[in-house]
Amino acid sequence: MTIKLINKTDEKEIEFEENLKIEDILKKEEIPIESVVVKLNKETVTEDEIVNDGDEIEVIKVIYGG
């Protein structure tokens, strides 16, 4: 299965096995789940969402402050 991963200005196509969740992909790419919001095909989703072949995942870093 091939997906497109967009992280800031970095875009890449990556190969993964079937039936992975967003959480699994973020862990494999070493992206901390707690510090990002994820869009799957332009819709905001949770890390429990299953990814399909050809999907586009956009990772948006959340900035904390006070």
Side-chain angles (χ1 to χ4, degrees):
M1 152 171 105
T2 303
I3 62 162
K4 181 190 266 186
L5 180 66
I6 303 168
N7 189 2
K8 298 180 189 171
T9 58
D10 183 34
E11 263 186 56
K12 62 181 173 179
E13 290 199 7
I14 47 180
E15 293 279 331
F16 284 108
E17 60 268 14
E18 301 273 331
N19 297 322
L20 285 181
K21 295 180 181 179
I22 297 279
E23 177 180 24
D24 300 322
I25 294 170
L26 293 178
K27 283 180 183 177
K28 288 183 182 209
E29 291 293 311
E30 299 179 354
I31 299 170
I33 296 169
E34 308 81 28
S35 64
V36 297
V37 172
V38 178
K39 287 189 172 186
L40 177 63
N41 300 321
K42 307 219 187 282
E43 291 188 30
T44 304
V45 294
T46 65
E47 64 269 3
D48 295 328
E49 194 74 29
I50 301 246
V51 179
N52 297 302
D53 189 40
D55 281 349
E56 180 179 287
I57 298 172
E58 182 177 0
V59 178
I60 303 165
K61 186 160 177 86
V62 177
I63 300 173
Y64 296 98

